[in-house]
Amino acid sequence: MKKLLLSVALLPTTFLFSQNLTISETGRYSDSRSGACEISSYDKATKRLFVTNAATDSIDIIDITNPALPNKIGGVDVLNYGGGVNSVVSLKNGYFAAAIEALVKQDSGSVVFFDNSGLFISSVKVGALPDMITLTQDGNKLITANEGEPNDAYTIDPKGSVSIIDISSGVTSVSQADVTTLFFENAPSLIPGSIKNPGASYSVDLEPEYIAVNASSTIARVICQESNVFVDVDLIGDSILSYKGLGFKDHSLAGNGFDASNKDNGINIKNWPVKGIYQPDAISSFEANGMTYYLSANEGDARDYSGFSSETRIKDLTLDSVTFPNRVELQNDTNLGRLNSFTANVIGDTDGDGDVDELYSYGARSFSIWDSNGDLVWDSGDDIEQYMALNHASFFNCNDGKESKFDSRSDDKGPEPEAITTGVIGNKIYAFVGLERQGGILVYNITNPLHPTLDQYIHTMDTTTGEMTDIAPEGLVFVSSAESHTGNYLLIASNEESGTVAIYEITDNLVSLDEMNKENFTLYPNPTQGTITIESKMNTNSNFEIINSIGQSVMNGSLNGKTTLNLSQLKNGFYITRITDNKGAIYTEKFIKN
């Protein structure tokens, strides 16, 4: 029998996290065809999943009354209503809605309503290529991100838009009069921190990809991925409030390194004179400390059509000789030469002389937290690549979830965070981040948005075949215990390439160690800027270890009553101190160096 590693991956042998959550697979639905399981939505009342299936141009209806035995019981042929389905959402009144593109993608798409058995109810027109659909938390409005992609020749490029559908009077009475479609005519001529095709206006160039709605159902934040822009929409007045460029990630800074080449014969995470353009795919919202925050999975995406392409490799750019005196070395395939970048007429030529003065790459190889103003609060830096290098080196930056494709994505977006959602478990808030190319799902505790911590990594690596069972998580759905028909927390992951839907049950293992810690030792000052003192109250010999946010042991030693440590060599961030007494009892305490 093949050995299947499922659910919990350990951190380096020098440290094992006391994980707050136990996440175990309880069931899996498998179509097995690539593209068969992209986006899922869950309905508690009927105990069903509605799953988009690009392999058959259908919406599959899966009965999960028993989550261990998912069973397909029906479906919808979406070609009866358009050219293909991109997204689906369950409604709170026993229906579901789907975002369906037109036969010609550049024409207006539709939102089509069905009952939970797949029976057609009604449809309305929205903007071109509705890529994502979501429901406000109060259940009164549906919102679609209408991407408006051009045709391949780049001769027809419809305007991107956001459609708002009022369903407060019920699905069966929805008509075209309930639809408001917002275009971007009021966008400024320049959005700092964004990118735009030469000669295009933002009204055309902004292509909405994904939406997150705040808890009060008053604001929708829309990400325009290729342009690197947040658009905030007022859901009370059905109008656009603001445009915010996300800016760029400086990969030359400590903690922001990455592996830039698939031709360097190994794992080489280091700093480079490159700016990553966040370009999130999925985004999600959560509330903490009375404030709204937004998470982004910073995948990156190129405009690459036969009529226009913004994509090129750094070795094919003409680099400014003053800015890059070492340009020959940089453009070597084992350094930055293979890294996918932008053509000079899109970004990088700051003085307009035809050569490149600044280097940019697609995505940020991370997930980020943003505040309600669209300002960056926290970014995972190079945590994902560092974690994989330490724990799953043979799968590092692989493609298709295969060991045989080790390092093959280092030149193009690395692990490629794509899907993201949040969930409240007990009194903690967690982020679930799906890695499209790398495979698997990272779980972070984000209760403190300024200092998230890695809880674990969910994966299905088969050590016999060198492949994952679930490949390319495209959609993630968190179901609270109150909303679950089983009474348990659920995480539902739709895996596009493997054509599988994995259903996980989550158990909160959190035991408050803080009070135990206070009885046995104190740690101060916290936060600290340079030194920290650990004062042990135990009359036994103890050892300490300091672990960083990705599980690396960065300092260790013995304790003798009161011990002061010099932390000047540690970078700023979140750390865990672990103390072990002579009987093997373990006590932990968190601290922040800033």
Side-chain angles (χ1 to χ4, degrees):
M1 180 178 290
K2 294 178 180 178
K3 182 181 179 185
L4 188 66
L5 301 182
L6 177 64
S7 175
V8 176
L10 305 185
L11 283 160
T13 55
T14 54
F15 179 66
L16 171 62
F17 271 118
S18 300
Q19 292 165 337
N20 292 340
L21 304 177
T22 294
I23 304 178
S24 55
E25 183 184 299
T26 189
R28 176 187 284 113
Y29 169 74
S30 180
D31 179 290
S32 77
R33 289 171 292 185
S34 179
C37 300
E38 294 191 62
I39 301 296
S40 297
S41 190
Y42 168 79
D43 179 48
K44 176 183 179 181
T46 59
K47 308 177 183 63
R48 293 174 181 178
L49 296 179
F50 307 106
V51 184
T52 66
N53 188 331
T56 56
D57 288 312
S58 66
I59 301 168
D60 297 335
I61 302 175
I62 314 298
D63 179 10
I64 61 167
T65 300
N66 180 356
L69 297 170
N71 178 38
K72 181 180 174 181
I73 59 173
V76 174
D77 182 353
V78 299
L79 295 183
N80 292 326
Y81 309 100
V85 61
N86 295 314
S87 186
V88 65
V89 64
S90 299
L91 309 180
K92 296 184 178 181
N93 48 12
Y95 300 91
F96 67 92
I100 297 177
E101 65 189 50
L103 287 171
V104 177
K105 284 186 179 182
Q106 289 69 44
D107 293 343
S108 296
S110 301
V111 168
V112 184
F113 297 90
F114 304 92
D115 72 9
N116 54 55
S117 67
L119 180 67
F120 172 80
I121 301 299
S122 63
S123 69
V124 293
K125 290 291 184 182
V126 292
L129 191 58
D131 195 43
M132 189 266 186
I133 186 169
T134 194
L135 179 69
T136 56
Q137 294 196 34
D138 62 13
N140 289 329
K141 291 185 177 182
L142 283 170
I143 313 164
T144 60
N146 309 313
E147 192 164 6
E149 281 186 355
N151 64 347
D152 192 53
Y154 226 79
T155 55
I156 303 173
D157 190 0
K159 294 179 179 180
S161 60
V162 177
S163 292
I164 304 168
I165 307 169
D166 187 339
I167 60 170
S168 58
S169 297
V171 169
T172 56
S173 63
V174 172
S175 70
Q176 198 64 42
D178 296 307
V179 182
T180 300
T181 297
L182 305 175
F183 296 92
F184 305 122
E185 308 294 353
N186 65 342
S189 58
L190 176 64
I191 303 176
S194 71
I195 57 172
K196 184 166 65 68
N197 283 351
S201 67
Y202 283 111
S203 64
V204 170
D205 224 39
L206 292 175
E207 298 179 355
E209 186 87 16
Y210 215 91
I211 307 163
V213 180
N214 66 356
S216 61
S217 301
T218 58
I219 302 293
R221 176 158 290 177
V222 182
I223 179 61
C224 299
Q225 183 177 26
E226 288 86 351
S227 297
N228 202 41
V229 170
F230 280 147
V231 179
D232 281 355
V233 177
D234 174 9
L235 296 179
I236 304 301
D238 290 353
S239 61
I240 293 174
L241 291 173
S242 63
Y243 301 86
K244 174 79 172 184
L246 276 62
F248 314 108
K249 179 173 178 174
D250 189 346
H251 285 297
S252 70
L253 299 179
N256 282 352
F258 69 106
D259 189 326
S261 176
N262 62 340
K263 299 294 184 181
D264 54 7
N265 299 315
I267 300 173
N268 292 292
I269 303 170
K270 57 192 294 186
N271 295 114
W272 294 103
V274 173
K275 295 180 180 179
I277 305 181
Y278 291 96
Q279 294 185 306
D281 187 319
I283 59 175
S284 183
S285 68
F286 69 100
E287 307 291 316
N289 306 317
M291 299 176 64
T292 299
Y293 295 92
Y294 296 86
L295 289 166
S296 66
N298 305 321
E299 177 200 24
D301 198 13
R303 300 182 199 264
D304 188 22
Y305 303 90
S306 63
F308 171 79
S309 178
S310 64
E311 189 175 39
T312 190
R313 296 191 187 274
I314 284 180
K315 68 179 179 182
D316 295 323
L317 293 171
T318 301
L319 304 189
D320 182 85
S321 59
V322 176
T323 306
F324 301 106
N326 60 337
R327 60 194 180 282
V328 174
E329 179 184 0
L330 285 176
Q331 291 181 292
N332 188 288
D333 277 355
T334 60
N335 294 319
L336 291 179
R338 293 281 302 168
L339 185 65
N340 272 320
S341 184
F342 294 78
T343 53
N345 64 334
V346 173
I347 195 168
D349 180 8
T350 59
D351 55 12
D353 63 354
D355 63 25
V356 172
D357 309 285
E358 295 178 339
L359 297 175
Y360 291 85
S361 63
Y362 290 95
R365 307 193 182 200
S366 62
F367 82 97
S368 301
I369 299 178
W370 312 82
D371 65 18
S372 59
N373 296 319
D375 294 323
L376 184 65
V377 171
W378 181 86
D379 182 79
S380 62
D382 57 14
D383 279 10
I384 298 175
E385 281 178 279
Q386 295 285 7
Y387 174 84
M388 293 300 167
L390 284 165
N391 297 278
H392 304 287
S394 62
F395 281 85
F396 178 82
N397 280 358
C398 66
N399 201 2
D400 305 325
K402 297 179 180 179
E403 279 186 317
S404 61
K405 297 186 177 182
F406 160 83
D407 199 34
S408 64
R409 296 296 293 178
S410 289
D411 62 326
D412 189 12
K413 300 183 280 189
E416 210 159 323
E418 163 129 353
I420 199 162
T421 193
T422 61
V424 177
I425 301 174
N427 62 352
K428 303 294 182 182
I429 308 168
Y430 292 90
F432 303 89
V433 186
L435 307 179
E436 181 179 17
R437 304 291 180 159
Q438 178 73 66
I441 302 165
L442 290 164
V443 184
Y444 272 76
N445 183 330
I446 57 169
T447 307
N448 181 348
L450 301 179
H451 299 285
T453 58
L454 179 64
D455 188 84
Q456 61 190 273
Y457 172 55
I458 310 167
H459 65 84
T460 52
M461 293 176 182
D462 188 323
T463 58
T464 302
T465 64
E467 296 183 9
M468 291 191 179
T469 303
D470 297 317
I471 305 170
E474 177 79 14
L476 297 175
V477 178
F478 174 81
V479 184
S480 70
S481 57
E483 290 296 320
S484 167
H485 71 277
T486 67
N488 299 320
Y489 297 102
L490 300 177
L491 178 68
I492 300 165
S494 307
N495 301 284
E496 177 183 8
E497 187 167 332
S498 56
T500 57
V501 179
I503 304 170
Y504 299 97
E505 287 190 343
I506 304 174
T507 303
D508 184 4
N509 300 330
L510 185 61
V511 177
S512 178
L513 296 177
D514 288 342
E515 292 305 315
M516 294 172 60
N517 292 341
K518 290 174 183 176
E519 294 175 1
N520 293 286
F521 72 91
T522 56
L523 180 150
Y524 57 88
N526 186 11
T528 179
Q529 293 184 337
T531 64
I532 202 159
T533 297
I534 304 172
E535 187 170 348
S536 175
K537 300 178 182 178
M538 297 178 285
N539 295 320
T540 59
N541 294 327
S542 304
N543 295 314
F544 76 89
E545 188 173 21
I546 294 178
I547 302 98
N548 67 14
S549 63
I550 61 170
Q552 292 172 293
S553 178
V554 295
M555 188 180 295
N556 61 74
S558 58
L559 290 177
N560 295 301
K562 182 187 292 187
T563 303
T564 299
L565 306 176
N566 184 344
L567 307 178
S568 59
Q569 77 277 23
L570 302 183
K571 67 180 183 180
N572 293 346
F574 170 90
Y575 294 87
I576 295 174
T577 302
R578 173 170 124 158
I579 294 178
T580 307
D581 67 20
N582 64 348
K583 296 181 180 180
I586 297 173
Y587 309 90
T588 65
E589 183 67 86
K590 304 171 184 177
F591 74 88
I592 296 166
K593 180 177 182 288
N594 55 26

